[in-house]
Amino acid sequence: MRWPLLLFGLIGCASGPRIPTAASVDLDRFMGDWYVLAHIPAGLEKNAYAAIESYALNEDGTIATTYTFREGSFDGEQKTYYPKGFVRNTETNAEWRMQFVWPIKAEYLINYVDDDYTQTIIGRSALDYLWIMARTPTIPQAEYDKLVARAADLGYDTSKIRKVPQQPER
């Protein structure tokens, strides 16, 4: 077992969100691939390149998740993780728990998703991890800046945000 995964799980057991979440998330529209454009990284992803988070809704309501990235460069070793998502607040579908290691479920909050389901911000109440994601590997700088400003409004220290190198779509 890798310590960063265990650490991520252990510190993510808050009882409820202390930062705002999206008012409503349509799970079917949220499913699919999201490119990680930037993050306040967990230990396992500090040198991530070409990171993609993929979601698929299971029949039992859980979320099959695949997180892939290259370690240290676009040619680096591919890392793949398969946490399982659990929707905790079914009224909004914006409050999840992610289970990397049984039985620990880490807080995972959809703080923002745009109307077209093309950009999202995922975070945690502890303000220790953050993921800014989009359906495409790049977005215009002005849109990226707006997402970072949203993260700042939520209370995140934006100086800790790392842009994740992505390769343009081919």
Side-chain angles (χ1 to χ4, degrees):
M1 172 179 10
R2 294 182 177 222
W3 282 105
L5 288 177
L6 181 57
L7 180 61
F8 180 73
L10 285 174
I11 60 180
C13 298
S15 60
R18 294 184 302 272
I19 59 175
T21 60
S24 178
V25 174
D26 180 330
L27 289 178
D28 288 327
R29 291 184 70 197
F30 198 83
M31 298 297 108
D33 292 346
W34 290 92
Y35 292 86
V36 181
L37 303 180
H39 56 197
I40 297 176
L44 64 96
E45 60 184 348
K46 284 186 185 215
N47 295 310
Y49 278 65
I52 299 174
E53 182 102 336
S54 299
Y55 306 109
L57 191 58
N58 294 320
E59 286 186 24
D60 66 359
T62 61
I63 299 161
T65 306
T66 304
Y67 183 51
T68 60
F69 61 89
R70 297 282 179 176
E71 181 69 35
S73 73
F74 291 119
D75 297 322
E77 178 185 354
Q78 182 169 313
K79 304 281 186 170
T80 305
Y81 297 94
Y82 301 98
K84 188 175 191 178
F86 299 84
V87 178
R88 181 168 178 166
N89 180 338
T90 56
E91 290 180 29
T92 67
N93 293 324
E95 183 183 344
W96 299 7
R97 295 296 184 262
M98 280 292 181
Q99 187 173 64
F100 281 85
V101 180
W102 186 87
I104 299 163
K105 295 178 182 171
E107 182 184 60
Y108 195 81
L109 304 175
I110 301 170
N111 301 118
Y112 168 79
V113 63
D114 68 338
D115 292 339
D116 296 328
Y117 283 73
T118 60
Q119 298 174 2
T120 190
I121 298 173
I122 308 292
R124 293 172 18 97
S125 293
L127 304 176
D128 50 357
Y129 302 121
L130 172 79
W131 296 270
I132 295 173
M133 301 189 290
R135 297 291 190 176
T136 57
T138 60
I139 60 174
Q141 186 64 42
E143 291 179 31
Y144 174 80
D145 292 344
K146 286 180 187 175
L147 292 169
V148 171
R150 281 185 177 273
D153 290 345
L154 290 167
Y156 285 93
D157 178 352
T158 59
S159 72
K160 294 180 179 180
I161 293 176
R162 173 188 177 262
K163 253 189 160 175
V164 176
Q166 292 284 354
Q167 293 179 314
E169 289 181 305
R170 297 172 198 202

